[in-house]
Amino acid sequence: MKKIIMVTMLMMAMVTTAFAQKQAKIVFDKTTWNFGTFPESKVQTCTFTFKNEGDAPLIINQAVASCGCTVPTYTKKPIAPGETGTMKVTYNGKGKFEGHFKKSITVRTNGTPEVVRLYVEGDMTVND
């Protein structure tokens, strides 16, 4: 009976170890950026910084904005554990309606979480 219990415990330990694979973990310094009030003629940019807090290389597979007026560019190379990367977001409101806006950028990674949403917002005024 002791042998059966011992074998069962050993098998459970092996299965647990097999499922405990290394994984990347993305953590952004902030997920929302507010540009404040600005004129239509001024293109806005901001940079989100992220860190890989996991124990495997982090890869950003895709970053897609909710509108063509918002363009994300990001670190393309794998980010080693403990290292940081950047996501630069440019907003060009030329020809858009004045007033408050809030745009999203959907980031897809190989880590946890697999999907992160970043937001840029502000209040755009029409040029005089």
Side-chain angles (χ1 to χ4, degrees), residues 5-109:
I5 293 174
M6 192 71 144
V7 170
T8 303
M9 289 176 61
L10 182 61
M11 289 177 67
M12 288 175 59
M14 290 187 334
V15 168
T16 302
T17 303
F19 284 114
Q21 297 176 355
K22 293 183 176 185
Q23 190 163 17
K25 180 179 179 184
I26 190 168
V27 177
F28 279 89
D29 59 345
K30 63 173 79 178
T31 55
T32 301
W33 186 280
N34 191 324
F35 292 119
T37 302
F38 61 94
E40 176 186 14
S41 61
K42 188 173 181 201
V43 174
Q44 300 293 307
T45 60
C46 67
T47 302
F48 292 93
T49 302
F50 59 88
K51 184 175 183 178
N52 180 1
E53 293 187 357
D55 51 10
L58 172 70
I59 299 169
I60 294 181
N61 297 319
Q62 185 181 47
V64 179
S66 60
C67 175
C69 59
T70 308
V71 179
T73 55
Y74 54 91
T75 305
K76 303 285 188 194
K77 66 179 182 68
I79 307 298
E83 297 295 316
T84 60
T86 58
M87 171 89 47
K88 181 179 175 184
V89 178
T90 303
Y91 174 78
N92 185 352
K94 186 161 178 66
K96 304 294 181 198
F97 291 108
E98 70 175 317
H100 186 79
F101 68 90
K102 186 170 187 174
K103 305 295 180 182
S104 67
I105 300 92
T106 303
V107 181
R108 298 185 188 283
T109 74

